[in-house]
Amino acid sequence: MCGIVGYVGKKNAAPFLLEGLSALEYRGYDSAGMYVSGAGALKRAGKVAELIACVPDDFEGKSGIAHTRWATHGAPTELNAHPHTDASKTVWLVHNGIIENHSEIRKDLEAKGVVFASQTDSEALAQLIGHLYTEDMLLEDAVRAALAQVQGTYGVAVASTREPEKVVVARMGSPLMLGVGEDGIYVASDATPILPYTRKAVYLDDGEMAIITDQGYVITDADEAHVDKPVTSLEWSAEAAQKKGYEHFMLKEIMEVGEVIENTLRGRLDTANATAILGGFQDTDIHGYLKHAKRIIITGCGSAYYAGLIGKTMIEELAGIPVEVEIASELRYRRPTADPKDTVLIAVSQSGETADTLEAIRAAKRQGILTLGIVNVVGSTVARETDAGVYNHAGPEIGVASTKAFISQVLVFALVALHLARERGLSKQEGSDFIKELETLPEKARAILTRTKAIEAVAKKYAHTRDFLYLGRKFQCPIAFEGALKLKEISYIHAEGYGAGEMKHGPLALIDTDFPSLVLAPRDSMYEKTASNIEEIRARSGKVIALTTDGNDDITRLADDVLYVPETHEALLPVLTTIPLQLFAYYIAKERDCPIDKPRNLAKSVTVE
Ligand code: M6R
């Protein structure tokens, strides 16, 4: 949730640190601060803009560290904001993650006379480093000695007044990367702040430390051995990470859907063999394992979990392999029953840094289960820790609400299902038909984007309702869950997603004239059943917005308002029906004047439990 930036080089560090903090705002935070060698530290509760406003003109130095904090231990105050320091104000530290044994460290140091200034777990680490940092010691040795006493997770950047042209960074469970620039080395918790300065990136792994000086950087592992890390090229442009004139990132990201579908499919459709080519599955061992897998477990959180639910129906319908879908925060604590011989875990994560998803992967790996990732952020921890996987290629997603990433996740599942199905008896003709439909999706998605006015008009009509029910069946049931999540997270309207067949088992009791339902009713194999569910709601005077496929005039007699998407293969309809729901939530949130890209209490990437 928090963000880190750092710099050592030829330039004044402060401008990059402040720009970097602004670039990281999308992650969610409640205070910000920075330390610049020779100039000192500045912190503010609230927005980065407030920090920028208080920076004096002569606040200059050639190295520094900075942080956006999202409170976990201690209130979001200036005192609790990072950077934290030790008793002698020699060591300055910014930290992402949680120091689980901070109380013990604090007690121990307080017994030795150390006085703490904040309530944070992070200060315990700053004080511990300061305490161990004797006159003849290098900063990196003090940091290493302190980290050896720490339990928990960290991405940490540390500076010292005694060694001004140096920043030491270390990682355990919280992402950190270096940007190798012409005029210095940049540090960040994700690529966004670095993109305007350099395309050359080095990702740290857990247990690694980088010692950055004006001469360059050295990376060591937990045993202090030098590690030669590859320098990878960042493909995302700085421009791609900006709003391109749209009022909100969320709208820009929804509007990119045509291109996103093309990018996710690019190079992966093998028309000659009527199958999908997925680079990560080409390895002989992985291929063999998948071919004989008897059980698939899909895991993820939030929207990624809902994408998994659609993936389940796709894989079961097309390939006939039993699939379970588990919320990662539950799966990680459950007693494992899977047989590693023939079970595959697929973890889905846009950021690739979600703590619960990572732990679910690690638990599966401990059991010897093959782990695959469906990940958007290249080089992220999920991408690196899974045995193989598929990248979404959706580009950077800045809005907290998952939109284009969700659609690309669903699409990747369509490719996985096709790939598995063709190995298990789906005919070549059926494979070809499926591919043909996949190829029509960019154009069909773009057609929906030309209908935003109609969606906006319906959204405005319902913008001030208190509750909403989203209903769907089979492929559309997870879309109902996802639609409700989107509405609640950005508009703060209470919304619930249900399988429409469940209505008479309880939720129907809620229905009255003030409790509207949005029903996903495309002309698919469940249409007649869903239409009956709409009748049940109408009989209780409930208002209904129906989302159906082009040409379905029948629905107008049942619904108060109707939205349309083009027709396609039933299994691919979720890709299309999601788009109007994203726009519907967006326009409702806009009408209610909500902070759409950064909803209250939420962060883009949930890197703590
Ligand atoms: O980065 P991830 O895909 O692992 O994130 C998972 C969820 O936190 C995420 O999908 C969340 O539910 C979104 N805010 C939903 O819009």
Side-chain angles (χ1 to χ4, degrees):
M1 304 258 190
C2 313
I4 286 179
V5 283
Y7 174 79
V8 183
K10 299 189 184 112
K11 302 185 298 187
N12 176 18
F16 164 69
L17 297 180
L18 293 169
E19 275 170 40
L21 291 185
S22 303
L24 287 173
E25 280 190 289
Y26 75 93
R27 293 170 64 93
Y29 71 105
D30 45 42
S31 57
M34 68 172 171
Y35 167 82
V36 170
S37 65
L42 288 172
K43 314 198 231 184
R44 284 291 178 273
K47 296 285 163 200
V48 172
E50 288 166 41
L51 179 70
I52 294 173
C54 75
V55 180
D57 289 345
D58 59 350
F59 200 80
E60 288 187 8
K62 296 281 177 356
S63 74
I65 53 177
H67 190 259
T68 46
R69 173 175 187 254
W70 189 79
T72 55
H73 294 69
T77 59
E78 193 168 309
L79 263 188
N80 287 333
H82 300 215
H84 288 289
T85 188
D86 66 321
S88 65
K89 296 201 170 9
T90 305
V91 168
W92 292 87
L93 164 145
V94 294
H95 164 236
N96 287 353
I98 292 177
I99 307 296
E100 282 165 10
N101 59 336
H102 69 101
S103 310
E104 289 92 316
I105 296 173
R106 179 183 278 254
K107 248 189 244 152
D108 190 40
L109 291 173
E110 281 175 343
K112 291 172 179 154
V114 175
V115 179
F116 278 68
S118 78
Q119 297 135 359
T120 63
D121 55 329
S122 306
E123 189 191 349
L125 181 54
Q127 294 280 14
L128 182 59
I129 297 170
H131 184 71
L132 298 170
Y133 189 29
T134 51
E135 284 298 323
D136 53 349
M137 213 178 196
L138 291 172
L139 180 62
E140 54 270 34
D141 294 329
V143 172
R144 197 175 281 115
L147 291 177
Q149 297 185 31
V150 155
Q151 287 156 19
T153 56
Y154 53 80
V156 73
V158 191
S160 156
T161 53
R162 253 174 35 208
E163 298 172 72
E165 309 291 278
K166 182 187 275 183
V167 168
V168 173
V169 301
R171 169 192 166 138
M172 183 59 75
S174 195
L176 269 185
M177 63 189 294
L178 309 184
V180 185
E182 305 230 317
D183 47 18
I185 305 295
Y186 301 84
V187 175
S189 46
D190 73 39
T192 329
I194 287 175
L195 278 166
Y197 297 90
T198 179
R199 296 302 163 87
K200 293 186 194 161
V202 179
Y203 294 93
L204 291 194
D205 281 306
D206 280 351
E208 290 178 345
M209 171 185 280
I211 302 122
I212 306 161
T213 64
D214 49 2
Q215 303 302 307
Y217 67 91
V218 171
I219 298 178
T220 60
D221 65 13
D223 303 322
E224 289 182 52
H226 283 206
V227 188
D228 241 345
K229 304 283 291 187
V231 178
T232 48
S233 170
L234 293 171
E235 281 166 21
W236 292 352
S237 68
E239 194 212 332
Q242 293 171 6
K243 283 191 215 160
K244 285 193 185 152
Y246 287 104
E247 196 176 340
H248 297 98
F249 279 113
M250 183 179 175
L251 185 59
K252 169 189 162 273
E253 286 158 5
I254 296 170
M255 291 304 194
E256 286 170 354
V257 64
E259 202 185 324
V260 168
I261 297 172
E262 281 162 358
N263 289 342
T264 305
L265 296 180
R266 183 161 292 120
R268 289 170 167 169
L269 297 179
D270 176 358
T271 44
N273 296 302
T275 189
I277 313 168
L278 297 163
F281 295 2
Q282 303 289 79
D283 174 273
T284 327
D285 285 351
I286 307 271
H287 185 251
Y289 208 102
L290 275 173
K291 200 166 176 177
H292 300 108
K294 292 210 176 91
R295 179 181 177 198
I296 293 175
I297 302 170
I298 299 174
T299 195
C301 300
S303 295
Y305 166 73
Y306 296 144
L309 289 176
I310 300 165
K312 168 187 165 76
T313 312
M314 286 173 168
I315 294 170
E316 288 183 346
E317 290 270 311
L318 268 72
I321 306 170
V323 182
E324 290 146 49
V325 192
E326 304 270 2
I327 298 166
S329 54
E330 293 297 321
L331 182 62
R332 64 181 284 190
Y333 291 115
R334 294 253 303 280
R335 188 170 154 213
T337 55
D339 183 348
K341 271 201 317 298
D342 48 27
T343 307
V344 175
L345 179 98
I346 304 181
V348 191
S349 177
Q350 185 286 131
S351 61
E353 303 295 350
T354 300
D356 286 321
T357 308
L358 272 165
E359 285 310 319
I361 293 167
R362 288 167 186 161
K365 286 182 92 167
R366 282 195 290 275
Q367 270 188 273
I369 292 173
L370 180 81
T371 60
L372 305 176
I374 296 179
V375 180
N376 191 35
V377 178
V378 175
S380 60
T381 313
V382 171
R384 285 178 292 126
E385 291 201 9
T386 41
D387 296 301
V390 185
Y391 281 124
N392 294 101
H393 300 315
E397 190 176 71
I398 306 295
V400 163
S402 180
T403 52
K404 61 177 182 171
F406 174 77
I407 288 177
S408 71
Q409 286 163 351
V410 174
L411 208 54
V412 168
F413 272 118
L415 294 172
V416 171
L418 173 63
H419 176 87
L420 296 174
R422 284 287 290 134
E423 304 228 314
R424 299 186 186 227
L426 187 83
S427 73
K428 194 165 181 192
Q429 186 58 52
E430 286 170 303
S432 289
D433 292 346
F434 197 69
I435 287 180
K436 278 192 196 118
E437 280 304 319
L438 280 166
E439 287 172 330
T440 67
L441 289 179
E443 189 194 328
K444 288 176 179 171
R446 288 187 175 109
I448 297 169
L449 300 180
T450 64
R451 305 172 186 182
T452 51
K453 282 275 163 280
I455 300 166
E456 187 176 3
V458 179
K460 280 188 172 162
K461 207 167 142 185
Y462 292 87
H464 298 289
T465 188
R466 210 188 59 178
D467 310 280
F468 237 109
L469 212 51
Y470 281 67
L471 302 167
R473 303 193 72 148
K474 199 174 174 183
F475 285 107
Q476 299 302 323
C477 181
I479 297 298
F481 301 157
E482 168 62 10
L485 174 64
K486 217 90 303 175
L487 186 69
K488 69 185 123 187
E489 75 175 326
I490 63 163
S491 77
Y492 314 147
I493 292 177
H494 164 239
E496 288 188 59
Y498 259 96
E502 276 290 288
M503 282 302 280
K504 53 175 96 58
H505 300 287
L508 205 50
L510 293 168
I511 296 298
D512 63 18
T513 47
D514 297 325
F515 202 124
S517 304
L518 193 153
V519 188
L520 292 140
R523 276 266 184 210
D524 61 7
S525 63
M526 299 308 291
Y527 178 69
E528 302 304 334
K529 300 278 175 205
T530 312
S532 302
N533 298 135
I534 297 178
E535 303 262 22
E536 290 161 9
I537 298 168
R538 298 290 293 162
R540 274 93 189 160
S541 308
K543 296 244 174 350
V544 172
I545 305 170
L547 177 55
T548 192
T549 29
D550 287 344
N552 179 17
D553 298 331
D554 170 60
I555 200 98
T556 49
R557 73 183 167 83
L558 295 174
D560 297 276
D561 295 281
V562 185
L563 300 171
Y564 292 93
V565 297
E567 284 187 334
T568 186
H569 189 293
E570 175 176 48
L572 299 176
L573 268 169
V575 172
L576 300 182
T577 52
T578 305
I579 303 166
L581 298 200
Q582 293 174 351
L583 287 163
F584 182 71
Y586 173 80
Y587 286 118
I588 286 190
K590 193 172 164 215
E591 187 69 12
R592 292 165 68 96
D593 212 13
C594 293
I596 292 176
D597 286 331
K598 293 174 202 155
R600 69 185 178 206
N601 308 337
L602 297 181
K604 181 65 182 162
S605 176
V606 186
T607 54
V608 291
E609 187 176 5

